[in-house]
């Protein structure tokens, strides 16, 4: 009985590692607080150099994303956001204005 339980627990552990190591493509839309599409928004998988930018219609597509990953979404003049991917394959992001960041970037 104990041997079966140990084997079953090992199988569950291997299965959970396999599931969390799978990658997928995450898609979505990036808008501002007025729900206007934001093209050219930077999307980066935190802790990696893998990233992309939103297209002309504010759509984002990023591949090789794991459930444990976080996406950092940033745009000049807007507050940066970090999103936990989890089980999501489609996300909707609304960036809010960051007047302090915008003023600093204009001054430079």
């Amino acid at each position: 009985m104990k041997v079966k339980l140990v084997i079953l627990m090992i199988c569950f552990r291997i299965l959970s590692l396999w599931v969390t190591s799978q990658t997928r493509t995450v898609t979505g839309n990036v808008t501002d607080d007025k729900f206007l599409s934001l093209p050219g928004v930077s999307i980066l998988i935190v802790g990696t150099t893998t990233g992309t930018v939103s297209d002309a219609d504010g759509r984002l597509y990023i591949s090789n994303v794991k459930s444990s990953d976080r996406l950092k979404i940033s745009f000049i003049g807007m507050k940066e956001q970090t999103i936990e991917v989890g089980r999501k394959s489609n996300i909707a992001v609304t960036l809010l204005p960051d007047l302090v960041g915008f003023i600093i970037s204009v001054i430079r």
Side-chain angles (χ1 to χ4, degrees):
M1 183 70 171
K2 286 185 179 183
V3 173
K4 288 182 181 179
L5 183 59
V6 169
I7 291 172
L8 184 62
M9 291 184 72
I10 290 171
C11 289
F12 279 128
R13 179 65 180 152
I14 290 170
L15 180 62
S16 69
L17 289 173
W18 177 72
V19 168
T20 58
S21 67
Q22 290 187 359
T23 63
R24 64 180 172 282
T25 299
V26 174
T27 61
N29 292 307
V30 185
T31 59
D32 64 10
D33 58 335
K34 295 178 179 97
F35 301 105
L36 298 173
S37 298
L38 290 175
V41 173
S42 172
I43 300 102
L44 180 70
I45 298 175
V46 175
T48 72
T49 57
T50 303
T52 188
V53 294
S54 60
D55 69 9
D57 296 318
R59 291 186 297 253
L60 67 91
Y61 306 90
I62 188 163
S63 301
N64 298 322
V65 180
K66 295 184 276 187
S67 296
S68 59
D69 285 337
R70 293 178 299 138
L71 299 178
K72 181 171 81 171
I73 300 155
S74 59
F75 192 66
I76 294 175
M78 301 297 219
K79 292 181 182 176
E80 183 178 283
Q81 282 192 36
T82 303
I83 296 176
E84 300 279 338
V85 174
R87 292 185 167 180
K88 299 176 201 131
S89 59
N90 191 298
I91 58 174
V93 180
T94 302
L95 294 179
L96 301 173
D98 183 8
L99 295 178
V100 173
F102 179 72
I103 292 169
I104 291 171
S105 66
V106 170
I107 293 172
R108 291 184 188 170

